[in-house]
Amino acid sequence: NCAQGYLIDKKTADKYDIKYYNDLKKPEIAKLFDLDNDGKADLTGCNAGWGCEGVIEYQLDAYKMRDVVEHNQGEYSALIADTIANYKTGKPILYYTWTPYWVSGKLVPGKDVVFLQVKESAHPSGNSTKLSNGADYGFNINNQKIAANASVVTKHKDIAKLFDIIKLDVNDVSGQN
């Protein structure tokens, strides 16, 4: 359950009933996230060259969002630090991230922020990003697994058993990060 996608602050999502990335097509919704007064929602995005950059850029065209969303790029750590600072001052925020990652330890999904869904998959790979539960975040979902030296499994049965039964919440891993 390692998600990636677009997130907004929960307060704004609840107040304006924003559930989908596509909701930003409404100028009054996009304006909520307009930090530089150019009429477009400011999306804290990915560094140039990252895989997520390609998906975001592809989706800006596929969903016809270029007129309402500005993909702000640069050094992700600096951009996300500004996003967190804006959140702390009560400003609406729109950003891309992935889990687990330390950002989701500061802006906890489901508590502080919510993932936006997309109304239909649009991914450069052509693959569907829809989950078995019907949710679609527009990005592929990954799973993390424990990897260990084979000797650990054969020589330490107690540790091997722990690896078999342990379940970690992705938000706990993000908090640890």
Side-chain angles (χ1 to χ4, degrees):
N1 293 324
C2 301
Q4 56 180 320
Y6 307 108
L7 294 94
I8 64 172
D9 60 287
K10 188 171 179 357
K11 181 178 83 174
T12 303
D14 290 345
K15 182 175 180 180
Y16 295 95
D17 195 32
I18 304 168
K19 296 180 177 141
Y20 295 95
Y21 179 58
N22 314 69
D23 290 340
L24 294 168
K25 281 187 175 182
K26 300 173 190 167
E28 67 274 14
I29 299 298
K31 188 165 180 56
L32 296 170
F33 303 97
D34 182 5
L35 300 173
D36 60 5
N37 296 315
D38 67 355
K40 295 181 180 183
D42 287 289
L43 168 66
T44 299
C46 292
N47 287 29
W50 285 7
C52 48
E53 176 203 24
V55 177
I56 291 169
E57 288 295 312
Y58 182 87
Q59 290 177 347
L60 285 169
D61 291 330
Y63 298 132
K64 297 177 175 46
M65 303 290 280
R66 288 207 184 270
D67 291 340
V68 292
V69 174
E70 183 174 354
H71 181 194
N72 294 326
Q73 295 180 265
E75 178 54 43
Y76 184 80
S77 296
L79 293 173
I80 204 68
D82 288 343
T83 301
I84 292 168
N86 285 333
Y87 174 81
K88 288 181 178 180
T89 62
K91 293 178 185 171
I93 56 171
L94 168 66
Y95 66 101
Y96 164 86
T97 202
W98 61 95
T99 62
Y101 191 56
W102 68 266
V103 172
S104 294
K106 298 288 185 190
L107 300 171
V108 179
K111 178 183 167 204
D112 304 314
V113 294
V114 295
F115 275 94
L116 296 177
Q117 293 191 48
V118 295
K119 294 188 176 183
E120 62 183 44
S121 295
H123 195 275
S125 69
N127 295 332
S128 174
T129 52
K130 187 176 262 190
L131 304 176
S132 59
N133 67 3
D136 194 339
Y137 300 114
F139 292 81
N140 296 315
I141 300 296
N142 299 313
N143 290 305
Q144 290 196 352
K145 298 178 181 181
I146 295 173
N149 184 301
S151 67
V152 171
V153 176
T154 57
K155 293 180 182 176
H156 302 282
K157 300 290 184 196
D158 54 341
I159 293 173
K161 180 64 178 173
L162 177 63
F163 289 169
D164 282 341
I165 62 173
I166 194 167
K167 302 287 183 218
L168 292 175
D169 183 276
V170 71
N171 284 342
D172 290 338
V173 178
S174 293
Q176 178 277 328
N177 283 194

